[in-house]
């Protein structure tokens, strides 16, 4: 495998052999060939490897240590097991943000009698001793500490690797996804690494998607009556001259829903200060708050402010709330007419009253828009028409 790419040695994949189908690997011969082409110049080495064959890792480490130029190592995704041994050859060893390093004792298997197994144990102990030498020389730390970390299979992020002196610094650029490797072979691999290995093996199913923030919000509103009442009171306060009331109450309730505050008797603190909403949810949350604001305004102007709580809990849009109130008003008028005359109003009521409902809705929206300084649809259309006319006149003047 040609590991020399754009003047850098790129060690992505497994060390020494192919462990998974269709996954790249590199070995000591590949690195030797690349260093021969580089000559005596400084070299950058980029690593993203879950590990592999230990003696290949040690050989690559020695090749890089013997290189006459400076060696800069960057951990792009993961440097585990044999790959972490390779990393120790760097004059500088930088961990990209989110990258991982892992040190552990060598692993193998053997077949045969007790003598055969003992030979394998002795060989593993020798490999472990060589890796301890490399790690201890790089970090300057006691061998006993290194041996304990290897025995525990220690996974480290950038800051942890620097604090233990396995790395010299952290790069602010984000890490790549960890290289493909069967991380299930390790005892304490992070959950996301094990999931990656299972996915590559076709044995992984994705976890259920988290509930979207607006779903959590509506569930919270429906199960916490005091929250809906607090929102209704905040909208009322806003209409009476406290412009930030709904912002403050809404943000607190939204965040409580995302945290999963479970107490049925939860109530907002009513502190008069703004609480920020997570950047990833702010647009969605603000759209819901504005719709609620219009709905509450319409209820107030139609003389039904007491209906706001119910509409909030049912998740009604402003238009649905106005239509409901208009229909109730029409039904009430028909009931009065019927009681007074002993007759029912003729004709299909729904067809006859839809125009009245639509006009009432349009009037309510225009009133809310004026309150917040938002131009009406007619005003917007008029401005656009004037702008088009001005462009046409300018164009005609140019001929």
């Amino acid at each position: 495998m040609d590991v020399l790419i754009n003047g850098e040695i790129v060690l992505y994949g497994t060390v020494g052999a192919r462990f998974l189908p269709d996954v790249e690997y590199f070995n000591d011969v590949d690195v030797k060939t690349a260093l021969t082409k580089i000559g005596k110049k400084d070299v950058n080495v980029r690593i993203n490897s879950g590990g592999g064959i230990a003696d290949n890792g040690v050989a690559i480490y020695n090749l890089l240590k013997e290189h006459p130029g400076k060696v800069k190592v960057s951990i792009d995704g993961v440097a585990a097991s044999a790959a972490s041994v390779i990393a120790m050859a760097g004059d500088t060893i930088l961990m990209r943000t989110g990258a991982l390093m892992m040190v552990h004792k060598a692993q193998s298997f053997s077949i045969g009698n007790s003598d055969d197994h003992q030979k394998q144990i002795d060989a593993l102990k020798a490999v472990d001793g060589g890796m301890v030498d490399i790690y201890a020389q790089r970090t300057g730390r006691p061998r006993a500490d290194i041996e304990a970390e290897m025995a525990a299979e220690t996974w480290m992020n950038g800051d942890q690797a620097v604090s233990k002196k396995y790395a010299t610094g952290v790069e602010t650029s984000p890490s790549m996804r960890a290289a493909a490797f069967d991380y299930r072979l390790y005892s304490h691999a992070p959950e996301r690494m094990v999931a990656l290995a299972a996915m590559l093996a076709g044995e992984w199913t994705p976890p259920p998607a988290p509930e979207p923030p607006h779903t959590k919000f509506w569930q919270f509103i429906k199960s916490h009556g005091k929250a809906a009442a607090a929102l209704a009171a905040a909208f009322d306060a806003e209409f009476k001259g406290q412009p930030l009331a709904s912002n403050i109450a809404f943000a607190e309730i939204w965040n409580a829903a995302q945290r999963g505050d479970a107490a049925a008797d939860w109530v907002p603190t009513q502190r008069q200060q703004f609480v920020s909403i997570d950047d990833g949810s702010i647009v969605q949350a603000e759209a819901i708050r504005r719709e609620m604001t219009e709905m509450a305004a319409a209820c107030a102007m139609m003389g039904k402010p007491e209906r706001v709580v119910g509409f909030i809990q049912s998740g009604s849009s402003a238009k649905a709330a106005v239509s409901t109130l208009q229909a109730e008003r029409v039904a009430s008028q028909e009931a009065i007419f019927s009681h007074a005359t002993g007759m029912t109003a003729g004709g299909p009521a729904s067809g006859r009253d839809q125009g009245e409902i639509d006009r009432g809705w349009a009037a309510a929206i225009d009133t809310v828009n004026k309150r917040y300084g938002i131009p009406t649809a007619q005003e917007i259309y008029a401005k656009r028409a004037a702008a088009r006319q001005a462009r046409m006149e300018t164009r005609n003047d140019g001929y």
Side-chain angles (χ1 to χ4, degrees):
M1 174 181 172
D2 188 1
V3 297
L4 186 62
I5 301 175
N6 296 327
E8 296 183 315
I9 293 179
V10 180
L11 305 181
Y12 285 10
T14 54
V15 181
R18 176 175 281 122
F19 281 29
L20 292 169
D22 303 321
V23 173
E24 295 291 345
Y25 73 97
F26 56 89
N27 58 34
D28 50 350
V29 175
D30 299 327
V31 175
K32 176 63 175 176
T33 301
L35 289 172
T36 300
K37 294 178 182 178
I38 291 171
K40 298 182 179 180
K41 297 183 294 183
D42 295 348
V43 61
N44 293 333
V45 180
R46 312 197 74 88
I47 298 177
N48 188 9
S49 171
I53 299 176
D55 59 3
N56 243 259
V58 172
I60 294 171
Y61 163 83
N62 285 319
L63 286 169
L64 293 172
K65 284 295 288 185
E66 293 168 1
H67 182 65
K70 294 288 185 181
V71 177
K72 175 188 173 183
V73 172
S74 294
I75 311 302
D76 289 345
V78 61
S81 188
S84 69
V85 173
I86 297 171
M88 298 301 103
D91 295 292
T92 58
I93 306 169
L94 301 178
M95 303 277 292
R96 292 176 70 173
T97 304
L100 294 173
M101 183 181 289
M102 185 271 276
V103 298
H104 73 151
K105 299 177 74 171
Q107 300 178 130
S108 186
F109 66 92
S110 61
I111 301 174
N113 58 34
S114 59
D115 292 335
D116 296 320
H117 293 307
Q118 186 59 53
K119 289 177 183 177
Q120 186 63 60
I121 291 171
D122 293 340
L124 286 172
K125 287 182 177 179
V127 173
D128 288 341
M131 292 194 296
V132 172
D133 289 339
I134 291 171
Y135 292 135
Q137 181 180 354
R138 169 72 254 183
T139 65
R141 296 168 56 221
R143 288 177 60 87
D145 292 351
I146 301 297
E147 289 171 346
E149 289 168 357
M150 290 174 60
E153 186 184 299
T154 302
W155 291 82
M156 298 165 281
N157 60 26
D159 292 334
Q160 292 166 336
V162 171
S163 70
K164 294 178 182 294
K165 300 185 179 179
Y166 289 103
T168 60
V170 177
E171 291 184 308
T172 56
S173 55
S175 66
M176 302 176 60
R177 191 180 77 170
F181 189 85
D182 192 353
Y183 294 98
R184 295 172 298 180
L185 296 172
Y186 300 139
S187 300
H188 306 295
E191 184 176 342
R192 64 186 175 92
M193 314 287 273
V194 174
L196 172 62
M199 179 181 67
L200 293 169
E203 301 169 3
W204 177 83
T205 55
E211 287 183 326
H214 69 274
T215 299
K216 289 185 176 181
F217 173 77
W218 289 118
Q219 290 174 345
F220 189 83
I221 287 293
K222 290 178 181 179
S223 59
H224 293 72
K226 293 181 179 179
L231 276 178
F235 289 126
D236 185 60
E238 185 167 315
F239 302 146
K240 294 178 179 177
Q242 299 179 29
L244 292 180
S246 69
N247 282 277
I248 294 170
F250 185 93
E252 186 172 358
I253 291 170
W254 179 276
N255 290 336
Q258 307 315 310
R259 290 194 304 268
D261 291 357
D265 59 350
W266 180 92
V267 292
T269 62
Q270 298 181 336
R271 290 177 300 193
Q272 295 300 307
Q273 66 183 68
F274 184 75
V275 181
S276 62
I277 293 175
D278 175 67
D279 289 344
S281 305
I282 186 64
V283 174
Q284 187 179 69
E286 180 60 12
I288 294 174
R289 189 194 69 81
R290 290 192 179 188
E291 182 70 20
M292 281 187 172
T293 302
E294 291 187 359
M295 180 274 294
C299 288
M301 288 181 289
M302 296 177 71
K304 296 290 184 179
E306 71 280 1
R307 300 292 298 278
V308 173
V309 174
F311 285 135
I312 288 176
Q313 288 187 305
S314 66
S316 293
S317 66
K319 186 171 185 177
V322 171
S323 295
T324 297
L325 294 178
Q326 289 279 23
E328 289 176 357
R329 179 176 296 176
V330 170
S332 175
Q333 291 171 346
E334 288 187 344
I336 293 173
F337 174 81
S338 176
H339 178 74
T341 64
M343 300 170 56
T344 57
S350 58
R352 188 190 68 237
D353 300 328
Q354 189 59 48
E356 181 182 355
I357 293 173
D358 290 342
R359 286 191 296 274
W361 159 250
I365 289 297
D366 284 345
T367 303
V368 173
N369 286 342
K370 289 178 181 178
R371 180 185 293 273
Y372 291 99
I374 302 172
T376 64
Q378 290 80 2
E379 291 171 338
I380 293 173
Y381 294 148
K383 288 182 180 179
R384 290 178 179 174
R388 284 196 299 270
Q389 182 64 32
R391 287 196 299 270
M392 293 179 61
E393 292 176 355
T394 302
R395 187 180 302 169
N396 291 336
D397 289 343
Y399 287 111

